[in-house]
Amino acid sequence: ARWLHPLPLTPQTTLTAAHNADTDTPSRTVSGIIVPWGTPGYTSVGLITAQRGSIQVPADVKHLKIFRDHSDAGGTPVGYATKVEDTEKGLVASFHIADTPDGDIALKDIKEGVRDALSMEIIGQEISGDLLTAGQLTAVAIVAVPAFSASRITQVTASHQTPAGGKAGRLTMPP
């Protein structure tokens, strides 16, 4: 029943996950542009340009998961959305990355520049010519090569533990 009430995003719409004391700090957060508006991208269905307002997101953005690689290509879920916003540049989101071995690998891939891009997974897409006019966002993937060149991770905030009881640190960086 994930899509009982998908919400179309209109310009300047922001959806934020419900309060969660464990994740309200920016620790283990990645943010970036999922899809830019009005810019062609080489997608799995060919050259497509996403029209602003064409993508619906789950009413509860926490249901929007982020994977390390695409979910249909053996990708691993590593987190969930905490915020999705329709901006002039495109559909922008922030994700909490789980404090798990898979989440650690995803953060390391981003830091090392191996996978520093985002790719959307949508269903129910409607395409007119080469223009995406509708679709429901079901997941986002951290990938090496995005369909849209501007679909990049723009900010990473992560904490880490040092071995043998050393001090924890916080790292904030652009990828």
Side-chain angles (χ1 to χ4, degrees), residues 19-61:
H19 175 75
N20 183 340
D22 293 335
T23 61
D24 279 353
T25 60
S27 178
R28 299 184 69 90
T29 299
V30 298
S31 302
I33 299 173
I34 299 171
V35 60
W37 305 133
T39 303
Y42 296 95
T43 72
S44 60
V45 295
L47 187 65
I48 298 294
T49 300
Q51 176 179 309
R52 188 171 187 181
S54 61
I55 299 173
Q56 295 181 347
V57 299
D60 181 349
V61 296

Side-chain angles (χ1 to χ4, degrees), residues 33-51 54-55 89 116-122 130-132 143-153:
I33 299 173
I34 299 171
V35 60
W37 305 133
T39 303
Y42 296 95
T43 72
S44 60
V45 295
L47 187 65
I48 298 294
T49 300
Q51 176 179 309
S54 61
I55 299 173
K89 289 184 178 181
D116 60 354
L118 297 173
S119 184
M120 65 179 173
E121 297 184 17
I122 60 173
D130 64 355
L131 186 64
L132 176 67
V143 297
V145 180
F148 300 89
S149 62
S151 294
R152 297 286 172 177
I153 295 169

